[in-house]
Amino acid sequence: MTATSVEKVNGTPVTSPELGEGRPKPDQEQSSPAQQPSRREEKRLDSQVNRREDREDRAREREENRKDAEHARQLKEQERQAKLERKQQQRADKEKARAKRRKERRTAWHNFQTRLAQHMPLWGLPVILVSLVMGWSGQAGAAAHLGMGLFAAGVPVLTEGMVLTFAGLTGQAIEQGRPYRGLMRITWITTLIAATINGAGHLIEDSSGPGMYRAGAYALASLAAMILWWVAMRSKRAVLSGKTADEIARWKRLARHHPILVRRARRIADNTGVKIDAAYATAWERANGAKPGEPSIREIRASRRAEFRRRRAQSWNGQRGWRTHSDAPVAVRPAAAAGATEVPTGDDLGEVRTPVQPPFLPVALLVPGARGGWVEHRVPVLPMSAPECVPAKGDRSATTRSPQGKGAVFKRTQKDVEGSRLQAVRKLVAKASADGKDLRKHPSNRSVMRALGCRREVAADLLATALAERGVTRN
């Protein structure tokens, strides 16, 4: 075997022609020597191969450089895009944070205004500030003029500070729904004390006309803030109560026109825990015998009296006096129509008589009609008759009147009331017996009457019945 050398050109193994590459193959060895390539031809071929390989290497290198440059450009573009996105994100984050801070400041300011408006409207702040400055400076100046020295600064701290403290406690009590009336009274008392000290100090300092004016101005300045705060607290109470302006005005009218019923309603609400509306309805029903909106006993009796008077007026026949007569309207014969022929009537003697129509008053009488209207009623003029004897009146003994009538329900209710009253009297007698009192003197008729809320005669009868059950009689 013939050894051949292998060289690498640009990383490609190439056999060296000197070591046998150009050596003919076995089939070529058998050919003629004229067909074998020359050394120059081999070099030419090798140079062509080398140039081709160099071109391929340079093309490959250019392609790689182009790809590297393209990749570098892409990296640079991506880096630039990322940097731009980071800047935009930072700018957006800054805008978002700025908008958030602006919103938080606006929300905080709105909440501050809301909280401040609950205690004091914004337009009232100058009044409060001026009042506080004048009160503090005025009291401190008056105390310093009186020779209190360094302690003069403590006078407004004690007076105005107490006013502010109690005002804050009252506002918290109103906001949390706790009792506040006692705190409100104490706040007003401390305010009046502070105003008095403020005015008296300046009056002692200068008692002339201008001094009196200055003392009054400082005293009113101390009261101005309290008056404004009191009005704001009233509005706050109305808002927290959940009532409308019409409801508040309605309860004010009820408290003005029915103060006793309103006090009873509040007592019922405090004792039972129900709302004030239901308590007022209960107090109204107990006082008037009917629910609110329904006709009471007094209104039913008034309507019945009006109806009776209306029937009596409609049935009036023109006669004067208060004689007893029927409530039914008098049947009036209609007047004959004009131009109508009258049929003569005769008696046993054959005389012909013409019926005479009763005359009417020239002016019709207006009487109350239905639905509050007025009805014209023509009153006939009847001939005078002989006076009749007034019938004797019936029994005028007092009876219990009930607009619903004396039915089974009324009797059952009356029986229940009597039983409950008798049971209450028995308890009073048992209590007096347990206390060792003389049952011939205790309990008294007045104490029973006050306990039951009835008349003296009824109390005496019930007490006699309860004592008779124990075998005790009173003279």
Side-chain angles (χ1 to χ4, degrees):
M1 296 180 64
T2 303
T4 59
S5 63
V6 180
E7 295 181 358
K8 292 183 179 181
V9 179
N10 293 330
T12 304
V14 179
T15 57
S16 175
E18 291 84 5
L19 298 180
E21 180 187 9
R23 185 173 298 182
K25 296 181 181 181
D27 55 350
Q28 293 179 357
E29 289 179 358
Q30 296 177 5
S31 61
S32 61
Q35 295 178 354
Q36 295 180 357
S38 62
R39 188 174 181 86
R40 181 179 296 177
E41 186 66 20
E42 291 179 355
K43 288 183 178 181
R44 188 180 62 82
L45 293 176
D46 290 341
S47 63
Q48 289 180 356
V49 171
N50 292 334
R51 286 194 298 270
R52 184 173 62 252
E53 290 178 353
D54 291 340
R55 286 194 301 270
E56 291 178 356
D57 291 342
R58 287 193 298 271
R60 190 179 300 108
E61 185 177 0
R62 286 193 300 270
E63 183 66 22
E64 290 179 357
N65 292 336
R66 186 185 64 80
K67 289 183 179 180
D68 293 342
E70 183 68 21
H71 183 65
R73 280 196 306 271
Q74 290 180 358
L75 291 179
K76 188 176 182 180
E77 182 66 21
Q78 291 178 0
E79 184 179 0
R80 188 183 67 82
Q81 190 69 20
K83 186 177 180 180
L84 181 61
E85 290 179 356
R86 285 197 302 270
K87 288 184 178 180
Q88 292 179 353
Q89 184 66 28
Q90 291 176 359
R91 188 181 297 109
D93 293 341
K94 289 182 180 179
E95 290 292 336
K96 187 176 180 180
R98 189 180 296 110
K100 184 178 180 181
R101 290 193 300 269
R102 190 185 304 112
K103 183 178 180 180
E104 289 177 352
R105 287 195 300 266
R106 187 165 52 249
T107 304
W109 174 247
H110 179 70
N111 294 336
F112 174 75
Q113 288 180 344
T114 303
R115 291 193 302 268
L116 185 61
Q118 291 180 356
H119 298 278
M120 183 61 59
L122 296 179
W123 49 265
L125 292 180
V127 179
I128 301 297
L129 293 177
V130 171
S131 177
L132 290 177
V133 171
M134 291 186 65
W136 284 60
S137 61
Q139 293 181 15
H145 177 75
L146 295 177
M148 296 185 65
L150 297 177
F151 296 100
V155 175
V157 175
L158 292 175
T159 56
E160 299 292 342
M162 289 181 63
V163 173
L164 295 177
T165 302
F166 284 116
L169 293 176
T170 306
Q172 291 180 2
I174 292 175
E175 186 175 358
Q176 298 175 5
R178 294 185 285 106
Y180 63 91
R181 296 186 182 276
L183 293 173
M184 180 69 77
R185 295 191 187 96
I186 297 175
T187 306
W188 270 108
I189 292 172
T190 53
T191 303
L192 294 176
I193 292 174
T196 303
I197 293 175
N198 198 357
H202 290 85
L203 189 62
I204 294 174
E205 183 179 355
D206 185 7
S207 59
S208 61
M212 295 176 63
Y213 173 79
R214 184 177 61 178
Y218 275 95
L220 291 177
S222 299
L223 292 175
M226 182 59 191
I227 295 173
L228 187 59
W229 175 83
W230 177 66
V231 173
M233 288 299 102
R234 285 178 60 88
S235 302
K236 184 179 179 180
R237 287 204 315 271
V239 172
L240 295 178
S241 63
K243 298 179 182 178
T244 61
D246 296 338
E247 293 178 352
I248 295 175
R250 173 176 173 269
W251 280 106
K252 286 184 178 179
R253 290 193 301 270
L254 290 177
R256 185 168 58 253
H257 296 293
H258 306 284
I260 299 177
L261 290 182
V262 171
R263 285 198 296 268
R264 292 178 182 175
R266 290 174 180 172
R267 184 170 63 251
I268 293 173
D270 294 339
N271 294 335
T272 59
V274 299
K275 294 185 177 180
I276 189 65
D277 298 338
Y280 184 80
T282 302
W284 179 275
E285 186 174 359
R286 291 178 180 177
N288 297 282
K291 297 181 179 180
E294 297 180 358
S296 61
I297 297 176
R298 190 179 299 106
E299 294 174 350
I300 291 175
R301 291 172 179 172
S303 62
R304 289 188 177 183
R305 285 194 298 268
E307 184 179 359
F308 169 75
R309 292 165 183 168
R310 186 181 300 111
R311 289 199 309 266
R312 189 172 182 180
Q314 290 177 353
S315 62
W316 183 52
N317 55 6
Q319 296 181 358
R320 297 184 179 181
W322 295 97
R323 298 180 180 178
T324 304
H325 57 277
S326 175
D327 293 339
V330 179
V332 181
R333 296 174 58 185
T341 59
E342 299 179 355
V343 181
T345 58
D347 52 4
D348 297 340
L349 299 178
E351 296 179 357
V352 179
R353 295 183 180 180
T354 302
V356 179
Q357 298 296 334
F360 292 91
L361 292 178
V363 180
L365 179 65
L366 295 178
V367 296
R371 298 182 181 179
W374 296 89
V375 180
E376 294 185 358
H377 176 64
R378 299 192 65 187
V379 181
V381 180
L382 300 179
M384 298 181 62
S385 59
E388 299 177 358
C389 297
V390 179
K393 299 293 182 180
D395 186 12
R396 289 181 172 269
S397 58
T399 58
T400 304
R401 295 189 296 175
S402 175
Q404 290 81 13
K406 293 185 178 181
V409 178
F410 171 75
K411 294 181 180 179
R412 184 168 59 253
T413 304
Q414 187 178 14
K415 185 176 180 181
D416 294 342
V417 171
E418 292 178 356
S420 62
R421 287 180 174 178
L422 184 59
Q423 188 66 22
V425 175
R426 289 172 180 169
K427 290 182 179 180
L428 292 177
V429 173
K431 183 179 179 181
S433 178
D435 294 342
K437 297 181 180 180
D438 188 4
L439 296 182
R440 291 177 297 179
K441 296 182 179 179
H442 300 282
S444 62
N445 295 336
R446 179 173 297 179
S447 61
V448 174
M449 180 179 63
R450 291 180 178 177
L452 300 181
C454 60
R455 294 176 300 183
R456 188 181 184 88
E457 294 79 5
V458 178
D461 295 341
L462 295 175
L463 183 58
T465 304
L467 292 175
E469 295 176 354
R470 293 177 173 266
V472 180
T473 57
R474 293 183 180 179
N475 296 331

